[in-house]
Amino acid sequence: MRSRLLLVVLVLVGLLAVGLGVPLALTDSQRSQEEVFTDRLTDAISFASAAQRPLIESPEGRSATTAFAAEITRYDEVYGVAVLAFDRSGELLAASRPSERLPELAGEPADRLTVALAGRRSAPYPLLMPWDDAPLVLAEPVLVDGEVVGAVMTVSPTDALRAGQVGTWSVVAGAAVLALLAGTLVALPLTAWVLRPVRRLDEAMDRIGTAVLAGGPPEQPTRRTGPPELRSLAGSFDRMSTTVREAIAGQRAFVADASHQLRNPLTALRLRLSNLDGRVAPGATDDHIAAMEEAERLSRVLDGLLALARAERAAETGDPDAVTELDTVVDDRVENWRPLAEHTGVELRRSGPHGLTARIDPAGLETVLDAVLDNALKYTPSGERVRVATLRAAGRVGVSVVDGGPGMPAEDRARATDRFWRAPGQVNLEGSGLGLAIAARTAAAAGGVLVLDPARGGGLRVTIWLDPPAPSAQ
């Protein structure tokens, strides 16, 4: 975003420089050309006046009149401007330089001579560009008693004029480059000042979202700096985050309270249904069994909701600096689940490096491993293996559980940690659909992450990655 804003500022500065510099350069070039044109027109009028007498004298007198030729020759030598005089028929009568050095009288010069012999003056030239090397040609009629008797033409080189224009355009281009450099120097801190609150809001959004979902402590209000509009936006963001946090906290409290309050009547219901065993009419036996199964299923759901509420509450009240030895917790949970694994014919194997520690409460790690091992044993058929391994990679430590089940496609893995979600085709399996949701939120509360990916050779690998403790805490 900063680069785009900087680009916009530079484009605006460039457009401003072009919008001011180009008209200025064009105006200066036009003014310089008009000065040269006026100067040459004045000289042409003066020579036209001086050419009256030579043109009206007899042919014998014209050849004897050398004053006009000498004058235009000196003028050519001083200013480098060729001067030519023509009679009424367009025949050249006098020139300031030899014929081999005279310009070609075709195209533009011929047209202007024709206009002058018709009694009209030369029109001003359009603006000459630095790459136009054509000479500046002016033709002035010679009038005697209002009658055209000839014309005088001046042919001026434009080298000096074009060199001046090149200098003007160079100055304008240099000024534009300096303006862009100055704009860059000004835009860099300006864009940083404008976008700093936006960047802080973006970072705060990520932190608050993670903290809210994990049940972590509240974030500090965002620093309100920058333009007034962004300061107002930061205030609105703080109020929004507080509202969202309170709403989610209320929802969690409701779930925890409702689950806790429902346990007692549910327990009483299960006892009453159990007491009816053997006393139900033969035709209602199936309904009695179904009612017992639904009561048991509801009990598991409530247990899962209470476990989820405890995990989220532990994230809010737990010790953020708690350190756990992975070997102790992993070995304990593996031994705890081994009898069930042997009963179902599944091999439970432990591997990985020893002596690792992680920043998580021991009870939190136990919750994660219980949920993951429960899922792994549930989906692993008899005769297969569940592998539990401690890991260390990329500056983090972790524990992975790989089952021997059918695995899970990518679209299912993306939803596996949602509450009450069950994979299609597995809704009849025992469970509440809260196990991985509890594990993911417990991991996030400790600053870790729960990752689900396919295992090599088949099956699902669930890994909890955690931060190692700070050196001072080890």
Side-chain angles (χ1 to χ4, degrees), residues 94-157:
S96 62
R97 60 183 65 172
S99 58
E100 63 271 11
R101 293 176 52 204
L102 291 176
E104 183 70 27
L105 298 180
E108 181 73 14
D111 294 340
R112 289 185 174 264
L113 177 60
T114 303
V115 170
L117 292 176
R120 297 193 304 272
R121 288 180 173 174
S122 295
Y125 268 79
L127 181 62
L128 297 175
M129 292 290 104
W131 53 85
D132 294 333
D133 57 356
L136 188 66
V137 178
L138 277 74
E140 183 69 17
V142 179
L143 302 175
V144 176
D145 296 330
E147 182 182 355
V148 178
V149 296
V152 172
M153 177 185 293
T154 62
V155 182
S156 307

Side-chain angles (χ1 to χ4, degrees), residues 49-202:
S49 178
Q52 290 178 349
R53 185 169 180 176
L55 287 171
I56 62 176
E57 288 181 347
S58 62
E60 292 81 3
R62 289 181 192 172
S63 62
T65 304
T66 59
F68 178 73
E71 180 180 358
I72 61 177
T73 300
R74 287 194 301 270
Y75 177 84
D76 193 354
E77 292 173 352
V78 173
Y79 297 104
V81 178
V83 181
L84 299 84
F86 300 89
D87 62 12
R88 185 184 304 173
S89 61
E91 181 182 353
L92 180 63
L93 299 179
S96 62
R97 60 183 65 172
S99 58
E100 63 271 11
R101 293 176 52 204
L102 291 176
E104 183 70 27
L105 298 180
E108 181 73 14
D111 294 340
R112 289 185 174 264
L113 177 60
T114 303
V115 170
L117 292 176
R120 297 193 304 272
R121 288 180 173 174
S122 295
Y125 268 79
L127 181 62
L128 297 175
M129 292 290 104
W131 53 85
D132 294 333
D133 57 356
L136 188 66
V137 178
L138 277 74
E140 183 69 17
V142 179
L143 302 175
V144 176
D145 296 330
E147 182 182 355
V148 178
V149 296
V152 172
M153 177 185 293
T154 62
V155 182
S156 307
T158 58
D159 297 342
L161 179 62
R162 290 186 289 110
Q165 290 181 351
V166 170
T168 300
W169 285 102
S170 299
V171 171
V172 170
V177 172
L178 290 177
L180 287 175
L181 293 176
T184 303
L185 295 177
V186 173
L188 285 174
L190 179 62
T191 54
W193 176 71
V194 171
L195 295 179
R196 189 177 297 115
V198 179
R199 186 172 62 254
R200 287 174 178 164
L201 284 177
D202 183 60

Side-chain angles (χ1 to χ4, degrees), residues 210 359 396 440 442-450 464-467:
T210 302
R359 293 176 56 184
R396 307 194 84 180
T442 304
V449 62
L450 193 74
I464 176 175
W465 287 105
L466 300 165
D467 293 325

Side-chain angles (χ1 to χ4, degrees), residues 2-358:
R2 182 178 180 182
S3 60
R4 290 196 296 269
L5 182 57
L6 180 61
L7 179 61
V8 170
V9 172
L10 293 181
V11 168
L12 292 177
V13 172
L15 291 176
L16 180 62
V18 172
L20 294 177
V22 171
L24 179 62
L26 292 175
T27 301
D28 183 77
S29 299
Q30 187 69 45
R31 180 188 56 79
S32 300
Q33 183 172 317
E34 288 177 355
E35 290 179 355
V36 173
F37 182 85
T38 302
D39 182 67
R40 296 297 179 266
L41 182 60
T42 302
D43 293 342
I45 293 174
S46 176
F47 289 132
S49 178
Q52 290 178 349
R53 185 169 180 176
L55 287 171
I56 62 176
E57 288 181 347
S58 62
E60 292 81 3
R62 289 181 192 172
S63 62
T65 304
T66 59
F68 178 73
E71 180 180 358
I72 61 177
T73 300
R74 287 194 301 270
Y75 177 84
D76 193 354
E77 292 173 352
V78 173
Y79 297 104
V81 178
V83 181
L84 299 84
F86 300 89
D87 62 12
R88 185 184 304 173
S89 61
E91 181 182 353
L92 180 63
L93 299 179
S96 62
R97 60 183 65 172
S99 58
E100 63 271 11
R101 293 176 52 204
L102 291 176
E104 183 70 27
L105 298 180
E108 181 73 14
D111 294 340
R112 289 185 174 264
L113 177 60
T114 303
V115 170
L117 292 176
R120 297 193 304 272
R121 288 180 173 174
S122 295
Y125 268 79
L127 181 62
L128 297 175
M129 292 290 104
W131 53 85
D132 294 333
D133 57 356
L136 188 66
V137 178
L138 277 74
E140 183 69 17
V142 179
L143 302 175
V144 176
D145 296 330
E147 182 182 355
V148 178
V149 296
V152 172
M153 177 185 293
T154 62
V155 182
S156 307
T158 58
D159 297 342
L161 179 62
R162 290 186 289 110
Q165 290 181 351
V166 170
T168 300
W169 285 102
S170 299
V171 171
V172 170
V177 172
L178 290 177
L180 287 175
L181 293 176
T184 303
L185 295 177
V186 173
L188 285 174
L190 179 62
T191 54
W193 176 71
V194 171
L195 295 179
R196 189 177 297 115
V198 179
R199 186 172 62 254
R200 287 174 178 164
L201 284 177
D202 183 60
E203 295 171 353
M205 180 72 76
D206 292 338
R207 293 196 305 269
I208 290 176
T210 302
V212 166
L213 294 178
E219 288 283 330
Q220 294 294 326
T222 55
R223 292 178 57 187
R224 301 183 186 181
T225 59
E229 294 80 3
L230 292 181
R231 292 200 295 269
S232 176
L233 177 62
S236 301
F237 176 81
D238 290 335
R239 292 190 294 272
M240 178 206 67
S241 62
T242 301
T243 302
V244 171
R245 188 183 301 280
E246 292 174 351
I248 293 182
Q251 179 190 34
R252 289 171 176 169
F254 171 78
V255 171
D257 294 342
S259 301
H260 182 75
Q261 293 298 325
L262 288 173
R263 284 183 63 84
N264 290 334
L266 179 61
T267 301
L269 177 62
R270 292 173 62 191
L271 287 174
R272 290 177 182 273
L273 290 173
S274 298
N275 290 336
L276 291 176
D277 191 16
R279 302 179 182 182
V280 179
T285 302
D286 292 341
D287 292 335
H288 177 253
I289 295 175
M292 288 289 294
E293 291 176 350
E294 288 301 319
E296 184 66 27
R297 178 175 176 274
L298 181 58
S299 179
R300 289 195 301 270
V301 171
L302 288 178
D303 290 340
L305 288 173
L306 284 173
L308 182 61
R310 284 194 296 270
E312 293 173 340
R313 186 177 294 111
E316 298 176 353
T317 61
D319 182 9
D321 298 323
V323 176
T324 297
E325 294 182 358
L326 298 187
D327 290 341
T328 302
V329 177
V330 171
D331 292 342
D332 177 72
R333 302 327 297 161
V334 167
E335 292 304 318
N336 185 268
W337 285 92
R338 192 179 298 280
L340 178 60
E342 294 174 350
H343 176 73
T344 57
V346 175
E347 179 186 359
L348 189 58
R349 176 175 296 183
R350 156 79 158 90
S351 62
H354 295 272
L356 302 180
T357 55

